[in-house]
Amino acid sequence: DVYECGDNCKCDFKRCKQRVVQKGRRGTLVVFRHHEKGWTLRAGEALKGGAFVCEYTGMLMTVKEALNRADKTYHMDLRV
C-alpha cells in the first residue's frame, strides 16, 4: 500500500517525502524481452534501495480472454 499527502495537506509539495507517486517516475526504464521470462522491465541506471520506480497499471488475463477481446492492439505475454 502507498499512502501519500493529499490536496488538504499543508506540506511543501517539492520537499514532501510522502508524495513519491505524485511526483512521477525518476530515471530511465528499459523494456526488453528476456529469453526465458518474456517481456520484462529494468532500470536504465543504478537505483537506491527503496527508491520509487514507477506505478504500473494493467490487466492480467488468460490467453483465452485476450483472444476474445475486441481490442487486440496491445497485449504482452508475461510468461510468469
Side-chain angles (χ1 to χ4, degrees):
D1 292 341
V2 176
Y3 299 97
E4 297 206 346
C5 291
D7 294 336
N8 295 328
C9 185
K10 304 295 184 215
C11 67
D12 180 1
F13 181 83
K14 292 181 181 178
R15 293 183 179 194
C16 182
K17 295 182 190 266
Q18 296 288 93
R19 293 180 182 257
V20 293
V21 175
Q22 295 172 49
K23 291 179 181 178
R25 178 175 47 85
R26 305 271 187 226
T28 304
L29 299 177
V30 179
V31 178
F32 69 101
R33 187 164 184 108
H34 187 276
H35 68 283
E36 293 177 355
K37 299 178 182 180
W39 290 103
T40 188
L41 183 72
R42 67 178 166 209
E45 64 269 346
L47 299 171
K48 291 182 182 180
F52 174 73
V53 177
C54 70
E55 177 184 15
Y56 174 78
T57 59
M59 181 182 295
L60 185 61
M61 63 181 85
T62 65
V63 172
K64 184 177 178 180
E65 290 171 319
L67 293 173
N68 288 332
R69 290 183 61 102
D71 177 16
K72 294 178 176 60
T73 57
Y74 190 69
H75 291 153
M76 294 186 80
D77 182 5
L78 298 178
R79 295 179 196 215
V80 179

